Amino acid sequence: MIIFGLVVLTQPVAAQDGVICSTSKLPQMLEGFFQLTTALGLIGLIVVWQGDSLFQMFTTNHEQKAKLKEHMRAALKSAVTLLVLGPLYTVAGSLMGLPLAECVDLAPW
């Protein structure tokens, strides 16, 4: 009786997942937004990295070079975080049973 009750009670929830995925444009909009922000973040990393490398060539002060290297490390950490968050949400959201995680693939590749 308990198993039958669970099956009957969970069917409306399962049906709602399909409705969210099929009728809403939210999954496609979310994927597009994530791909756009990931691409802009990677372009930003390249610009910052190249700019800091250029400034580093013309800097003779060791303190300024250390600050530029720290800035480059911070930019790299930000880009890695940006690349990890999407797949992490996709995997963790699926494991936790979040309805939108079933529809959206946020892996940038």
Side-chain angles (χ1 to χ4, degrees):
M1 192 64 164
I2 294 173
I3 294 173
F4 178 73
L6 286 175
V7 169
V8 170
L9 291 175
T10 57
Q11 279 183 339
V13 174
Q16 288 176 359
D17 289 345
V19 171
I20 290 173
C21 295
S22 64
T23 60
S24 177
K25 297 223 182 245
L26 184 63
Q28 291 85 15
M29 289 173 43
L30 192 61
E31 285 177 5
F33 176 75
F34 185 79
Q35 289 172 353
L36 179 68
T37 55
T38 302
L40 290 176
L42 291 176
I43 291 170
L45 169 69
I46 293 168
V47 168
V48 166
W49 193 274
Q50 292 299 318
D52 285 349
S53 295
L54 181 67
F55 289 139
Q56 209 171 27
M57 284 192 290
F58 297 112
T59 303
T60 57
N61 189 354
H62 292 292
E63 184 179 317
Q64 288 177 338
K65 283 188 179 185
K67 286 182 181 179
L68 286 171
K69 284 186 180 182
E70 182 62 35
H71 190 250
M72 290 169 75
R73 273 189 231 113
L76 187 61
K77 286 179 188 177
S78 297
V80 167
T81 302
L82 190 63
L83 288 173
V84 168
L85 283 180
L88 182 66
Y89 173 77
T90 302
V91 171
S94 296
L95 290 175
M96 290 189 296
L98 299 175
L100 195 58
E102 301 291 329
C103 308
V104 178
D105 182 22
L106 296 181
W109 45 83

